[in-house]
Amino acid sequence: MASASCLLSEERFECSICLDVFTDPVTILCGHNFCSACINTYWDSGDTCQCPMCKRKFSTRPELQVNTFISELADDFKKLVQVKASTPGPQLPVLDVLCDICSEIKEKAVKSCLTCLTSFCESHLEPHGRVAVLKGHKLLEPVKNLDDRMCKTHNKMTELYCLKEQAFICVLCFTADHKGHNAVPLEEQYEKVTATKDEAQANIQKLIQTRIEKIAEVEELLDVSLVDSEKEEKDAVQVFTEMIQSIQASQAELVEAIEQRHSAIKQKGQEFLKELRREVTELKSRSSQLEHLSQSEDHYHFLQSFPTLSKPPHKSCPDTDLCPDLSFQATRGDLTRLKQRVDEIMEEIPEIRMKRMREHAVDVTFDPDTAFYSLVISEDGKQVTEEDIENKVTDNPKRFDVCCEVLAKEGFTTGKFYFEVQVKGKINWVVGVAGESVDRKNETDLSVEDRYWTFSLSEGKYVTSADSEPKILKEEFQKLGVFVDYNKGEVSFYNVDSKSRIGCLMGCCFTEKLYPYFCPHLNGNGRNSAPLIITPVPQTH
């Protein structure tokens, strides 16, 4: 017995009208089967009722009933197809365009007719080469979805091309929606565009050649960069190796010198103690003799011995200096300064400086209680835009009432902190930090005197709150990094992409809590509508 997969082949359950598996299949009087909706639509579009396959005509429209047997088999086939589709396996190739006329077995189409909106196999195409009326039809290579070339509004062939709107239209479109537009036949536009093909091809080839040359240039640069990086890495490792060896040798020498100095002090101290203990023993002996002499009744002997015992030989206390030489303390100070200098040298390397700053990254969000009435803050508190509308907000002593400003919820009173803000697409903005006590109800200058430490950009020029004259920004950037060292009194601003420092405020005196400060400025009729976005800082490793 044949297997189910052999019996349930797609050709046995395919409607010849929609070319899909039967849906509610019906059998007409000639014995052919179709989807109920397909055959009814087919008959509705014609004047007579006939079979689409054998062309048998019926005097009256047959009454249709679903063929339950074929319907059940079609349902089984669909389930089998679903199971196969869910089973991993090689993908089937894209099917060729099939002939729309073939009934039982669909042959591969060799041409599609734009007039008939039908694709034909070799045998069914034959009348187009023989019948005079059909010879004038437009034939082209087989294409799918010929209905797409029909005007959806007027159900006519799109034979014109609107030059103004660059759209395919039919003759009725030209007199309606495209009235007054410059439209030409598709053939004319085809000839016109085809005439530019060689130029377009030449331009494309030129672009290809340019890209190939650029690829070669980049590959060469990468090769050179690799060689340079390897050499630079090797040289850096060599320098650090020699420096480490030198430091280790210097450390050993310093430790040895300290130990030798301690040994000399120890020896000198022991000699000092020995002499002192000897003198103490001698003085105790004199004291004992005096005590014994004082008990004698021999006046002569007492007077004779007392001067000698009461006045020991005048001898000063041994003079020895056991205090450490301060040169070691000076050396320690020099080494500390050397370490600081090494750290400064390392931080001159942008990647290392950025990595060290990001170690102090903080998670900050916009504080709605401080936001100007026209500012809109996202639900996650990470984006702020100026909407040029008056939002209904509560009166709040923390709120900025004059300019479109906003602070972060988080404040800082010590240590270092760092955050990044996306400024892409904006032409005016201000970002930095501000003191907790800044005036929020009156117009003030963004100056250090008013407790603002900021970086401002306006129409391609930038200025910090300590600068007197704006400078032209020579490098565009999309993200600003702000690094604050509260204890040291420094605020630095960085182009995150290039890792270059573009502004710095030094010698600041912070006496209160600092809050990240943001001013997206006015919308400017959409010119400055992009938001300020507090972005996550990449984790350092």
Side-chain angles (χ1 to χ4, degrees):
M1 181 179 291
S3 65
S5 61
C6 294
L7 291 173
L8 300 178
S9 60
E10 185 172 357
E11 291 80 5
R12 294 175 180 268
F13 304 101
E14 186 178 80
C15 173
S16 59
I17 298 177
C18 67
L19 301 180
D20 202 352
V21 178
F22 289 123
T23 300
D24 297 330
V26 296
T27 304
I28 61 177
L29 298 178
C30 62
H32 291 119
N33 301 298
F34 307 92
C35 296
S36 177
C38 293
I39 189 62
N40 279 309
T41 302
Y42 180 78
W43 284 343
D44 290 339
S45 62
D47 297 328
T48 60
C49 291
Q50 66 178 11
C51 175
M53 296 181 66
C54 65
K55 306 303 180 182
R56 176 180 172 180
K57 296 182 179 181
F58 308 107
S59 57
T60 59
R61 187 162 179 166
E63 183 178 351
L64 301 176
Q65 291 184 345
V66 174
N67 188 323
T68 56
F69 177 73
I70 295 180
S71 179
E72 291 173 357
L73 289 177
D75 289 340
D76 291 339
F77 177 78
K78 288 180 179 179
K79 293 177 182 178
L80 179 62
V81 170
Q82 290 176 353
V83 171
K84 288 185 176 180
S86 62
T87 303
Q91 297 294 321
L92 294 175
V94 178
L95 295 177
D96 294 321
V97 179
L98 300 180
C99 176
D100 294 326
I101 307 301
C102 291
S103 56
E104 295 296 336
I105 300 177
K106 294 289 185 180
E107 295 291 338
K108 180 179 177 182
V110 294
K111 291 290 182 180
S112 293
C113 178
L114 292 181
T115 306
C116 302
L117 292 180
T118 306
S119 296
F120 300 96
C121 64
E122 190 71 44
S123 59
H124 287 114
L125 182 65
E126 184 269 336
H128 277 73
R130 175 173 49 83
V131 180
V133 177
L134 300 180
K135 285 183 178 181
H137 288 190
K138 179 67 175 179
L139 299 177
L140 70 162
E141 293 302 313
V143 294
K144 292 184 178 181
N145 304 322
L146 283 169
D147 289 343
D148 292 344
R149 303 186 181 221
M150 296 289 291
C151 174
K152 301 299 185 293
T153 304
H154 305 107
N155 200 29
K156 286 186 173 294
M157 192 69 182
T158 53
E159 300 175 340
L160 300 174
Y161 185 79
C162 178
L163 298 176
K164 180 178 180 180
E165 298 188 11
Q166 297 184 345
F168 299 98
I169 62 174
C170 69
V171 291
L172 294 181
C173 291
F174 183 60
T175 60
D177 297 337
H178 295 261
K179 186 177 181 179
H181 293 183
N182 188 9
V184 297
L186 292 182
E187 291 80 0
E188 181 179 334
Q189 182 66 12
Y190 170 78
E191 295 295 336
K192 180 179 178 181
V193 174
T194 302
T196 65
K197 185 195 70 172
D198 292 341
E199 181 181 355
Q201 185 76 318
N203 290 334
I204 292 175
Q205 291 299 323
K206 185 177 180 180
L207 290 174
I208 291 174
Q209 184 61 33
T210 302
R211 268 52 178 183
I212 291 175
E213 292 175 357
K214 181 60 67 174
I215 289 172
E217 179 183 343
V218 172
E219 288 178 341
E220 182 180 356
L221 288 174
L222 289 176
D223 292 339
V224 172
S225 176
L226 177 61
V227 173
D228 291 345
S229 297
E230 290 176 347
K231 182 179 184 302
E232 190 173 352
E233 179 180 342
K234 181 179 178 181
D235 292 344
V237 170
Q238 179 65 28
V239 169
F240 271 95
T241 300
E242 293 175 356
M243 185 169 67
I244 291 171
Q245 292 174 347
S246 175
I247 290 174
Q248 289 175 337
S250 299
Q251 177 185 344
E253 291 176 347
L254 182 58
V255 169
E256 182 181 1
I258 293 174
E259 291 176 348
Q260 289 177 351
R261 182 170 295 180
H262 173 68
S263 178
I265 292 174
K266 181 179 178 181
Q267 181 179 356
K268 190 174 183 180
Q270 288 175 344
E271 294 176 353
F272 183 32
L273 291 174
K274 181 179 179 181
E275 179 65 19
L276 289 175
R277 290 189 180 100
R278 187 189 64 78
E279 291 183 2
V280 167
T281 301
E282 180 182 339
L283 291 173
K284 284 181 178 181
S285 175
R286 284 178 177 272
S287 176
S288 176
Q289 292 178 32
L290 273 176
E291 182 65 26
H292 180 72
L293 182 64
S294 65
Q295 298 174 3
S296 174
E297 295 181 355
D298 186 346
H299 298 162
Y300 178 85
H301 178 67
F302 178 86
L303 294 174
Q304 184 184 35
S305 301
F306 181 79
T308 303
L309 293 176
S310 62
K311 293 180 180 180
H314 180 73
K315 186 177 183 182
S316 62
C317 184
D319 184 14
T320 182
D321 186 6
L322 298 180
C323 296
D325 194 326
L326 295 179
S327 61
F328 283 153
Q329 296 181 13
T331 301
R332 184 163 59 245
D334 291 338
L335 292 175
T336 301
R337 286 188 289 273
L338 176 60
K339 177 183 178 301
Q340 292 174 347
R341 180 54 185 153
V342 171
D343 289 340
E344 292 172 357
I345 292 173
M346 294 302 295
E347 288 195 358
E348 291 176 3
I349 301 173
E351 290 79 5
I352 294 177
R353 180 175 57 215
M354 182 65 69
K355 176 179 178 294
R356 292 183 177 180
M357 286 191 303
R358 283 176 166 172
E359 292 174 353
H360 302 281
V362 292
D363 184 17
V364 297
T365 53
F366 295 112
D367 184 1
D369 290 340
T370 67
F372 186 60
Y373 68 86
S374 66
L375 295 183
V376 177
I377 297 174
S378 61
E379 291 186 4
D380 63 359
K382 296 296 184 180
Q383 299 189 30
V384 62
T385 54
E386 200 280 324
E387 298 294 345
D388 199 22
I389 57 175
E390 186 170 350
N391 298 312
K392 293 182 179 180
V393 294
T394 59
D395 189 18
N396 191 316
K398 295 169 59 179
R399 190 179 307 285
F400 288 96
D401 289 344
V402 179
C403 298
C404 48
E405 304 165 284
V406 61
L407 298 179
K409 292 180 180 179
E410 298 76 16
F412 306 89
T413 57
T414 188
K416 303 174 182 178
F417 62 94
Y418 174 81
F419 60 95
E420 294 179 355
V421 184
Q422 180 177 306
V423 296
K424 180 181 178 181
K426 297 193 68 62
I427 58 175
N428 297 311
W429 50 266
V430 185
V431 173
V433 292
E436 184 176 22
S437 63
V438 292
D439 189 349
R440 311 182 191 200
K441 305 303 178 182
N442 299 292
E443 186 172 354
T444 59
D445 296 328
L446 295 180
S447 63
V448 172
E449 290 74 20
D450 291 327
R451 294 174 298 283
Y452 288 94
W453 297 270
T454 59
F455 183 94
S456 307
L457 180 74
S458 178
E459 302 289 350
K461 294 184 178 181
Y462 72 94
V463 64
T464 69
S465 55
D467 294 332
S468 56
E469 294 293 334
K471 305 173 185 176
I472 297 177
L473 189 66
K474 297 181 180 179
E475 54 178 342
E476 294 185 3
F477 62 94
Q478 300 181 355
K479 193 178 294 185
L480 178 77
V482 181
F483 178 72
V484 179
D485 188 334
Y486 190 103
N487 301 338
K488 195 174 180 180
E490 290 186 4
V491 182
S492 303
F493 306 97
Y494 293 85
N495 179 348
V496 174
D497 296 325
S498 66
K499 301 178 178 60
S500 60
R501 186 163 66 181
I502 53 178
C504 183
L505 300 171
M506 305 179 67
C508 306
C509 182
F510 303 134
T511 58
E512 59 183 340
K513 183 177 289 188
L514 295 182
Y515 289 89
Y517 167 89
F518 312 88
C519 175
H521 272 300
L522 297 177
N523 185 294
N525 294 325
R527 294 180 63 241
N528 193 45
S529 60
L532 285 177
I533 305 175
I534 301 173
T535 58
V537 176
Q539 296 295 317
T540 57
H541 300 284

